[in-house]
């Protein structure tokens, strides 16, 4: 009886060691960055394709676009407000990055919403978005070979429940960025935003703007077999 118990114990221990070794091997296949530490986030990322310094390729579950995803961020997925998808027509996701330095706690958020909008009404959608988010109806515009990009930024803060927006960067460095990215060859669009919360979250407007535009320019909508 004792020999049997020892044998069973040895088998269980051996199995646990084997499973642990397999898990370690599988985990070692992923890059050692926060994005891949989260099992939900890694489902969207190509571990073998580092898109640029600090980014990995992100592929939408709709199959309708790819973009660059910052390696220090992790996707939020505990509620439908953080992540939801409707086949190939819609996807909404949010991601965050938390940084603690001494007593200071900083939180950074990015959010992307993929949908399909009527191209003829694009000016209306753009105006509404920027008026709602930044109290501004004249965003900056740039183009890539594939997309039209509208964007702008400001400093936003709350007094009680009232949200205030300051556009003077000499007074406050921008802590909120908004963009509307439209595909030139279809009616696919992405509304993308960035926000930071905490003291001293922004130290350089130019670096943050470059980082934001790098993500926007990386958006690549898939080609459809038939025109929409």
């Amino acid at each position: 009886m004792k020999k049997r118990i020892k044998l069973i114990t040895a088998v269980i221990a051996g199995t646990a060691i084997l499973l642990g070794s397999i898990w370690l091997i599988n985990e070692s296949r992923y890059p050692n960055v926060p994005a891949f530490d989260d099992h939900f986030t890694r489902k969207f990322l190509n571990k073998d394709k580092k898109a640029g310094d600090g980014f990995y390729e992100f592929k939408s579950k709709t199959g309708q676009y790819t973009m660059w995803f910052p390696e220090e961020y992790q996707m939020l997925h505990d509620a439908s407000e953080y992540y939801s998808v409707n086949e190939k027509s819609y996807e909404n996701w949010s991601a965050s990055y938390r940084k603690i330095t001494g007593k200071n706690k900083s939180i950074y958020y990015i959010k992307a919403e993929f949908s399909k909008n009527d191209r003829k009404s694009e000016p209306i959608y753009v105006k509404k978005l920027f008026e709602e988010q930044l109290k501004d109806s004249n965003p900056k515009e740039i183009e890539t070979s594939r997309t039209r990009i509208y964007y702008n930024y400001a400093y936003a803060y709350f007094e009680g429940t009232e949200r205030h927006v300051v556009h003077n960067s000499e007074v406050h460095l921008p802590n909120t960025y908004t963009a509307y990215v439209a595909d030139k060859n279809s009616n696919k669009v992405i509304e993308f935003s960035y926000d930071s919360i905490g003291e001293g979250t922004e130290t350089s407007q130019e670096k943050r703007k470059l980082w934001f535009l790098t993500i926007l320019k990386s958006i690549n909508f898939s080609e459809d077999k038939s025109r929409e």
Side-chain angles (χ1 to χ4, degrees), residues 37-219:
D37 288 340
D38 179 65
H39 287 257
F40 184 80
T41 306
R42 70 169 60 161
K43 294 177 182 178
F44 295 80
L45 306 182
N46 185 343
K47 65 180 178 59
D48 299 317
K49 192 169 184 179
K50 189 165 186 178
D53 187 22
F55 297 94
Y56 282 87
E57 184 183 67
F58 171 100
K59 186 174 182 179
S60 164
K61 291 302 181 182
T62 64
Q64 298 298 299
Y65 71 94
T66 61
M67 63 181 289
W68 290 11
F69 187 92
E71 63 183 20
E72 68 270 27
Y73 281 70
Q74 293 183 344
M75 294 178 67
L76 305 172
H77 53 89
D78 294 335
S80 59
E81 64 187 89
Y82 296 133
Y83 182 79
S84 60
V85 62
N86 182 13
E87 298 181 347
K88 294 184 177 182
S89 62
Y90 178 84
E91 185 180 48
N92 171 68
W93 59 265
S94 299
S96 70
Y97 160 54
R98 297 171 182 267
K99 182 179 180 181
I100 300 177
T101 306
K103 295 182 178 180
N104 295 326
K105 182 179 181 180
S106 304
I107 307 176
Y108 305 82
Y109 292 99
I110 55 176
K111 177 180 174 64
E113 183 176 28
F114 167 80
S115 61
K116 296 181 179 182
N117 288 338
D118 178 13
R119 280 182 282 175
K120 293 180 181 179
S121 301
E122 184 171 292
I124 297 174
Y125 291 124
V126 171
K127 182 178 180 180
K128 181 180 179 182
L129 174 67
F130 285 89
E131 285 182 342
E132 288 180 349
Q133 298 299 317
L134 299 176
K135 297 182 179 179
D136 168 52
S137 57
N138 295 298
K140 307 175 191 301
E141 298 180 36
I142 57 174
E143 289 192 7
T144 70
S145 60
R146 309 176 306 273
T147 60
R148 292 182 299 277
I149 300 171
Y150 306 86
Y151 75 98
N152 215 337
Y153 42 82
Y155 177 80
Y157 67 99
F158 282 89
E159 281 189 354
T161 58
E162 187 176 357
R163 184 171 182 266
H164 298 269
V165 178
V166 179
H167 288 277
N168 189 342
S169 298
E170 294 183 0
V171 176
H172 291 290
L173 290 177
N175 65 350
T176 183
Y177 290 66
T178 296
Y180 185 100
V181 183
D183 184 18
K184 288 183 176 180
N185 301 308
S186 72
N187 59 2
K188 300 171 187 175
V189 302
I190 290 177
E191 294 181 11
F192 189 84
S193 63
Y194 160 84
D195 292 281
S196 62
I197 302 172
E199 294 294 330
T201 55
E202 304 303 325
T203 57
S204 171
Q205 178 180 341
E206 287 306 312
K207 285 184 178 180
R208 180 59 68 193
K209 176 183 173 182
L210 176 61
W211 178 86
F212 189 68
L213 289 177
T214 295
I215 295 176
L216 300 182
K217 291 177 181 178
S218 75
I219 294 174

